[in-house]
Amino acid sequence: MDYLIRFSQSHETFRLPEIEALALLEGVDLKVISYSLDSPFCIVRLPSEDAARRLIRRSILTMSIHELWAHGPDLTAVHSAVKRDTGHLWPRYRTCSFKFSIDSYQGSRGSDAKVRIIESFSYLGFEGPIVMRGADEEFVLFEDWPFNASRLGIPEPNYFYFGRFLGGGARDLPKKLDLKKRRYISTTSMDAELALVTANLALAGPGKLVYDPFVGTGSFPIACAQFGALTFGSDIDGRSIRGDSKKRTLRANFEQYGLLAGLGGMFTADLTNSPVRRTALRYDGDGVTGRIFDAVVCDPPYGVREGLKVLGVRDPEKSLGVELRGKEMYKNPDFIPPKKPFSFLAMLDTILQFSAQTLVDNGRLSFWMPTANDEDQEIPVPTHPYLEIVSGLDDSSHTAASPTPKWTRRP
Amino acid sequence: MKVLTLNFLTCAVKSCKTSVDSFPLHPKDAELVSDDVELNPQLLVNLLPRIDWNALRTTATELGFPTLPEQPPTPEELQADEKMLQDLHKLLMETQISEGKLVCGACGHEYAVREGIANFLLPSHLV
Ligand SMILES: [Zn+2]
């Protein structure tokens, strides 16, 4: 069966990687049928209704998922597809209470027009009470309008989707973890929405161990702990962890959200002289022994002196996200260090080497990095023989100072 | 910091990395506090392959906890052993080191713990 994902139209480049990560996390067999960065509508093939609900239940960038009954370039096409393909489903919803709504992306219609459209579906034969809140079933007609449609006087949307609501994403979590209401933050605290997306990309979850070597006030660990992970962190500046030693501390943030069980340990340390126990890089066989973390997640403090365009001028075009996957160690026994034209690349090397040494197989490294220097020279995504890139994300809508990459530890 | 964290940390001095005596670090004048945390058996099972068991035995003894068996339980044994689950949960997940020092057995360097935060920054002559 095909399902319709209704994304939020924000952080577009992160949407599909987030869903793919969640499919992996939930063990859901996902096939993307149609998707575009320009549209919030994505058609996917999934094994079941239950799988659909599970797929998006902790998605930050998904608003909802729907059993897709029909889609087409105009209402006539939608109606004929509904009649052709879904007649066997109609009797199931004959007597339940229901709600029928229209979701117009980039467009709007007057209420008379809406009523006329809704009435055009009367052949479905739903006889149950119409309820605006808490209906047993909700049917939604989605309209994908062209940009600026009303100003340009465009009368009809480009495309329509019609389906039955199954479940919502976790759009409430960014509100829960909103920096504006957090007890203790700093100027570098990662925005709650992006931290949560990063936690999803890192596959943070119950029983998983996550480490942030540039922890600051704890934005990433908090987001990961929200999803049930046990988190660890360090910072070269212990004051960021300690705060005012009273109410404004990293620990107080965990307390505020009731996440203390997910606070493993925070310590002051320099990643280049890290006290974290590491193993020599070799193939272990069992995939875990000696290695500790399921994910390393961070937003490293790349120095302005490096002449990095992204950080200095907040050029959103230069933001990037990347994802690496742990790779089969025995296939690349020899590590050849890459050239180091910038010292910040040395920091990237340190992060990758550290991650390769401490991530369990298929563990993930997810971090933010700039993609160009002040001479507009592109900075390539770093590589490591024990890590495989999962995704490199160009997040042009991200207006904060940094970007993000993403790696997975190869087994 | 949870006692579990101690099992993941060794001396930050580079020349100590090859020394078996640099791990685990030894708590000194440690003040312990306890958080009430819900027991999560799956987490404890997941932790097993990541824990250095010998080091954990040393830590448990040094902090005055009951002696752990010589060999770590298998995941199956751990899941079936309610007492072992409780003991490990109490030690690893609930007990925190809030103040004190962590001492390297190789070089003798003492890392201070204040407000539950250990400081591993090295003086310049040790970097
Ligand atoms: Zn030492």
Side-chain angles (χ1 to χ4, degrees):
Chain A
M1 182 91 195
D2 287 356
Y3 297 85
L4 180 73
I5 294 176
R6 168 50 156 120
F7 282 121
S8 88
Q9 196 61 24
S10 61
H11 306 302
E12 292 89 339
T13 56
F14 290 77
R15 299 184 305 192
L16 216 46
E18 190 198 37
I19 285 295
E20 284 162 351
L22 294 175
L24 202 61
L25 202 62
E26 297 282 351
V28 166
D29 187 15
L30 164 75
K31 189 176 179 212
V32 178
I33 304 297
S34 77
Y35 176 72
S36 153
L37 287 178
D38 305 326
S39 164
F41 304 109
C42 169
I43 300 176
V44 295
R45 195 156 294 161
L46 299 166
S48 70
E49 200 176 309
D50 172 62
R53 289 195 182 93
R54 282 191 290 121
L55 176 67
I56 61 123
R57 63 183 168 185
R58 51 176 271 188
S59 168
I60 302 305
L61 301 176
T62 297
M63 295 170 77
S64 53
I65 194 161
H66 306 257
E67 184 179 74
L68 183 59
W69 283 27
H71 57 102
D74 53 49
L75 273 177
T76 311
V78 169
H79 283 309
S80 58
V82 168
K83 288 171 184 166
R84 185 189 66 219
D85 301 332
T86 67
H88 63 292
L89 298 173
W90 306 353
R92 291 186 199 172
Y93 310 107
R94 181 171 296 142
T95 57
C96 65
S97 68
F98 74 97
K99 178 184 174 182
F100 201 116
S101 57
I102 298 179
D103 177 344
S104 302
Y105 172 67
Q106 295 190 144
S108 63
R109 290 188 189 269
S111 50
D112 288 356
K114 281 186 181 172
V115 169
R116 269 200 306 280
I117 290 173
I118 291 171
E119 282 176 350
S120 72
F121 283 87
S122 60
Y123 58 85
L124 292 171
F126 298 163
E127 294 161 5
I130 296 172
V131 180
M132 294 319 285
R133 272 165 177 252
D136 292 332
E137 300 289 345
E138 184 178 348
F139 295 85
V140 187
L141 178 71
F142 293 98
E143 301 183 331
D144 194 351
W145 290 77
F147 182 65
N148 239 342
S150 66
R151 180 120 60 89
L152 299 171
I154 296 168
E156 286 295 318
N158 282 339
Y159 209 78
F160 295 83
Y161 304 85
F162 177 63
R164 182 171 66 92
F165 175 85
L166 296 177
R171 301 281 295 160
D172 54 322
L173 288 183
K175 286 194 198 92
K176 177 188 171 186
L177 302 186
D178 191 350
L179 292 183
K180 291 194 202 88
K181 288 176 240 152
R182 190 174 298 176
R183 277 180 202 163
Y184 171 52
I185 59 169
S186 75
T187 51
T188 56
S189 297
M190 177 64 76
D191 162 71
E193 183 176 32
L194 285 171
L196 286 158
V197 171
T198 308
N200 271 338
L201 294 174
L203 310 178
K208 300 274 193 78
L209 275 63
V210 179
Y211 175 58
D212 180 350
F214 305 96
V215 74
T217 60
S219 292
F220 285 135
I222 286 164
C224 293
Q226 176 63 43
F227 290 127
L230 181 61
T231 63
F232 301 84
S234 62
D235 203 288
I236 198 164
D237 185 353
R239 292 171 301 180
S240 73
I241 303 170
R242 191 167 279 114
D244 67 358
S245 298
K246 297 184 189 84
K247 285 182 177 166
R248 299 178 68 247
T249 68
L250 191 153
R251 183 183 162 92
N253 286 342
F254 277 78
E255 258 167 343
Q256 177 182 353
Y257 302 125
L259 297 174
L260 268 188
L263 177 58
M266 300 288 159
F267 48 94
T268 308
D270 176 0
L271 191 61
T272 57
N273 280 295
S274 174
V276 175
R277 164 162 68 83
R278 278 158 290 169
T279 51
L281 286 175
R282 60 192 163 79
Y283 182 64
D284 292 313
D286 63 7
V288 177
T289 303
R291 286 182 266 138
I292 299 168
F293 302 118
D294 296 280
V296 172
V297 173
C298 58
D299 182 15
Y302 305 107
V304 175
R305 66 190 166 82
E306 310 281 8
L308 298 171
K309 195 162 187 172
V310 180
L311 297 172
V313 301
R314 300 193 166 222
D315 179 352
E317 299 300 317
K318 300 298 180 198
S319 301
L320 172 80
V322 184
E323 187 178 7
L324 292 185
R325 181 196 308 277
K327 77 177 180 189
E328 291 168 328
M329 303 176 79
Y330 59 89
K331 289 187 179 169
N332 280 292
D334 305 309
F335 175 51
I336 303 152
K339 288 182 192 169
K340 297 173 183 173
F342 302 105
S343 68
F344 103 97
L345 285 186
M347 185 194 286
L348 290 184
D349 286 348
T350 303
I351 295 168
L352 265 61
Q353 177 72 359
F354 177 88
S355 301
Q357 289 176 324
T358 58
L359 285 174
V360 301
D361 285 352
N362 294 313
R364 289 199 170 194
L365 162 61
S366 182
F367 69 88
W368 294 74
M369 64 169 279
T371 57
N373 64 10
D374 55 2
E375 279 147 23
D376 244 342
Q377 291 165 321
E378 193 181 326
I379 298 167
V381 172
T383 60
H384 190 284
Y386 292 88
L387 300 167
E388 175 179 274
I389 293 182
V390 176
S391 61
L393 310 173
D394 207 337
D395 184 12
S396 55
S397 70
H398 180 35
T399 51
S402 28
T404 190
K406 189 116 216 315
W407 285 252
T408 293
R409 182 69 159 78
R410 300 189 181 180
Chain B
M1 60 198 291
K2 291 191 198 299
V3 168
L4 169 64
T5 317
L6 210 51
N7 201 263
F8 298 154
L9 298 173
T10 177
C11 182
V13 176
K14 280 211 164 65
S15 57
C16 279
K17 296 290 181 195
T18 51
S19 166
V20 290
D21 295 329
S22 67
F23 178 78
L25 298 169
H26 306 288
K28 183 179 163 190
D29 307 328
E31 282 176 35
L32 302 183
V33 290
S34 187
D35 275 340
D36 230 358
V37 178
E38 202 182 326
L39 177 71
N40 181 341
Q42 188 54 50
L43 173 61
L44 292 169
V45 168
N46 286 356
L47 286 177
L48 275 182
R50 306 162 202 236
I51 286 175
D52 184 310
W53 190 259
N54 283 332
L56 185 63
R57 291 187 77 220
T58 303
T59 303
T61 305
E62 289 176 352
L63 292 177
F65 280 75
T67 308
L68 293 171
E70 276 186 32
Q71 293 300 320
T74 64
E76 296 75 25
E77 285 167 353
L78 180 57
Q79 261 159 335
D81 187 341
E82 183 64 25
K83 183 172 183 302
M84 175 69 86
L85 281 171
Q86 291 289 357
D87 285 353
L88 284 179
H89 174 70
K90 187 164 189 294
L91 174 64
L92 296 172
M93 302 302 298
E94 293 199 317
T95 307
Q96 314 243 5
I97 299 178
S98 64
E99 301 286 331
K101 294 185 178 69
L102 302 173
V103 186
C104 172
C107 71
H109 191 71
E110 297 187 345
Y111 299 96
V113 183
R114 285 199 302 124
E115 297 161 31
I117 303 161
N119 183 355
F120 287 94
L121 296 182
L122 296 169
S124 54
H125 70 276
L126 286 177
V127 175

